[in-house]
Amino acid sequence: MPSPQQSALSRRSLVALATLNFFLADARDGLGPFLDGFLATHGWSPMTLGIVATLGGILGLIATPLFGALVDASPHKRLLIIIPVVLVTAAALWTLASPGNASVFGGQSATAIVGAVIGPALMGLTLGLVGEAAFPDQVARNEFWNHAGNVVSLAGVYLATLLFGLNGIIWLMIATAIATIGATLAIDPRSIDNAVARGLAHDDGTPGPSGYSIIASSRGLILLAVTLLIFHFGNAPMSRLIAQDFSIQLGTPFRTTAIVTGVSQLSMIAMALAAPFLIRRFGLALVFIIALCALPLRGAIAGSFGNFAAIYPVQFLDGVGAGLIGIATPLAAERILSGTGRFNAGLAAVMTVQGIGASLSNIVAGWLTKEGGYALAYWVHGAAAIAAIGVFWYGRRAIVPERPKAQTPAPAATTAAL
């Protein structure tokens, strides 16, 4: 049984994890959703912006599985968050200072490569801190704090640009990067069980983790990856296109994007609060179905209405779809790979495949916008989720397997409420 001192350290680590997720919302993606609106007002076309996003996506695809294996093997998971945050922030500041070809293509390429390690590192760190039994609820808490941080960041960006212009954005980015690093260092490394963090809570006694072939031979993981490939092909470009469209119309890229993104983030907060109840009451499979069904409806509304008011239901549905998918995906991967010791590598493989869909979608969206306007792109990408629903329904029992009856007791840290 852990001593009171150990329990206090674990509770402090969970508070630090919440703080990390809050500030990481702004620090992990650099300019993130603001990039397209900012560059669109500097003369960059939707097709060129699609190429930039695709290039970054391809580089991220190459890096993600390698970094997933690194997270499984490394005991230095905090460092695997700190280094990318520093590099991503530097790349974003370079782009703001000089939005030319070198900074945009070079900076976004660097952001994609080093940013690919943050997702697996954060999931591994979370699993190692709280254990398998508490992992679903903690993932939902992570998402809550992440989206809450996004909302506060968006409000900060809106006010910073209103009061101080571009200089306000620069100082805000530096402040959030420093806060993220501080929160990461506040997590006690002694509270992280590195065996549990890689999915060995149900190790069967064989020496070490399973071979990497376990990932390629897992039917559930393959079907999960295909489902997410299709979903992200449809979903990935829509918020970008909306930000471009209305930034050009209104001439205020940062404030317009803050509103567009803020609506979806508020919706994602609601989904993070609702997800644990939905999973316990109705099961993880239904959460996937709800998320997948949100995208066709989103595309239909965005394609049918061209006024700014349409962004409210459209971005609310983004929160439902992307928000629930973001919670459900690591939970499904953890169930599929429980006991293999390849959780982070397997999750990274899934993220790589879904990234293929997201990357390809950027060029397709740019071409559709050029040929038929923004409305055509919304309709086509929204309709893509119909195929994702079919794939998931076909493989739902493999994608969301039943939890093994024998559960390893969760560490004491799991009892800490945030």
Side-chain angles (χ1 to χ4, degrees):
M1 186 173 181
S3 67
Q5 183 180 9
Q6 289 173 320
S7 297
L9 287 172
S10 297
R11 285 193 295 272
R12 284 200 292 270
S13 291
L14 287 178
V15 171
L17 179 63
T19 307
L20 166 61
N21 277 280
F22 183 87
F23 287 108
L24 190 61
D26 189 50
R28 70 184 297 174
D29 297 322
L31 287 172
F34 299 100
L35 178 67
D36 278 15
F38 175 67
L39 294 179
T41 58
H42 283 74
W44 291 65
S45 69
M47 186 66 186
T48 306
L49 292 173
I51 293 172
V52 172
T54 298
L55 176 61
I58 291 171
L59 293 172
L61 295 179
I62 297 170
T64 297
L66 301 176
F67 285 140
L70 174 63
V71 171
D72 274 334
S74 175
H76 306 295
K77 292 177 176 57
R78 299 185 308 164
L79 192 62
L80 295 178
I81 293 174
I82 291 171
I83 292 175
V85 165
V86 172
L87 295 176
V88 166
T89 302
L93 293 175
W94 181 25
T95 301
L96 284 176
S98 177
N101 287 336
S103 64
V104 173
F105 282 96
Q108 291 310 299
S109 297
T111 295
I113 293 171
V114 300
V117 73
I118 295 179
L122 184 61
M123 282 298 109
L125 188 151
T126 299
L127 183 57
L129 274 176
V130 305
E132 183 182 273
F135 187 56
D137 284 353
Q138 188 59 49
V139 169
R141 290 191 191 102
N142 284 2
E143 290 296 301
F144 170 84
W145 288 112
N146 181 269
H147 298 310
N150 263 316
V151 171
V152 173
S153 171
L154 292 167
V157 167
Y158 189 96
L159 292 174
T161 53
L162 192 64
L163 298 175
F164 306 108
L166 193 59
N167 287 335
I169 300 296
I170 292 172
W171 286 110
L172 188 63
M173 292 186 68
I174 293 172
T176 53
I178 292 172
T180 301
I181 293 168
T184 306
L185 291 173
I187 296 173
D188 181 11
R190 294 170 294 177
S191 299
I192 304 169
D193 188 324
N194 286 295
V196 173
R198 67 186 300 165
L200 278 176
H202 290 306
D203 188 15
D204 61 6
T206 57
S210 305
Y212 286 105
S213 60
I214 193 72
I215 296 173
S217 62
S218 172
R219 180 173 178 267
L221 202 68
I222 292 170
L223 289 170
L224 173 63
V226 173
T227 300
L228 295 177
L229 181 150
I230 300 169
F231 174 82
H232 285 282
F233 174 83
N235 192 67
M238 289 187 65
S239 289
R240 292 181 50 251
L241 294 175
I242 291 168
Q244 292 174 35
D245 187 4
F246 288 106
S247 291
I248 293 170
Q249 287 187 38
L250 302 177
T252 54
F254 285 100
R255 278 176 277 168
T256 300
T257 305
I259 295 171
V260 169
T261 310
V263 175
S264 65
Q265 292 299 320
L266 287 170
S267 177
M268 288 179 187
I269 289 175
M271 293 305 104
L273 292 172
F277 167 77
L278 293 174
I279 293 168
R280 285 193 292 267
R281 180 67 178 83
F282 302 106
L284 189 57
L286 182 63
V287 171
F288 268 108
I289 292 294
I290 293 171
L292 295 172
C293 287
L295 181 53
L297 183 57
R298 184 184 182 214
I301 295 173
S304 300
F305 302 97
N307 57 315
F308 188 75
I311 69 105
Y312 294 103
V314 167
Q315 294 304 94
F316 169 78
L317 289 168
D318 180 42
V320 174
L324 290 179
I325 284 287
I327 294 171
T329 297
L331 302 186
E334 189 275 327
R335 286 195 193 182
I336 294 167
L337 295 169
S338 180
T340 66
R342 297 298 181 191
F343 164 64
N344 294 293
L347 179 60
V350 170
M351 292 169 66
T352 297
V353 175
Q354 77 178 34
I356 293 173
S359 297
L360 291 175
S361 72
N362 290 308
I363 286 184
V364 174
W367 177 78
L368 288 170
T369 303
K370 180 181 178 182
E371 296 297 318
Y374 287 102
L376 176 63
Y378 298 146
W379 275 105
V380 171
H381 284 281
I386 297 172
I389 295 168
V391 172
F392 178 81
W393 187 256
Y394 166 75
R396 64 192 184 281
R397 290 184 177 85
I399 296 172
V400 187
E402 291 294 325
R403 170 74 67 189
K405 292 182 180 179
Q407 291 281 357
T408 300
T414 64
T415 61
L418 297 181

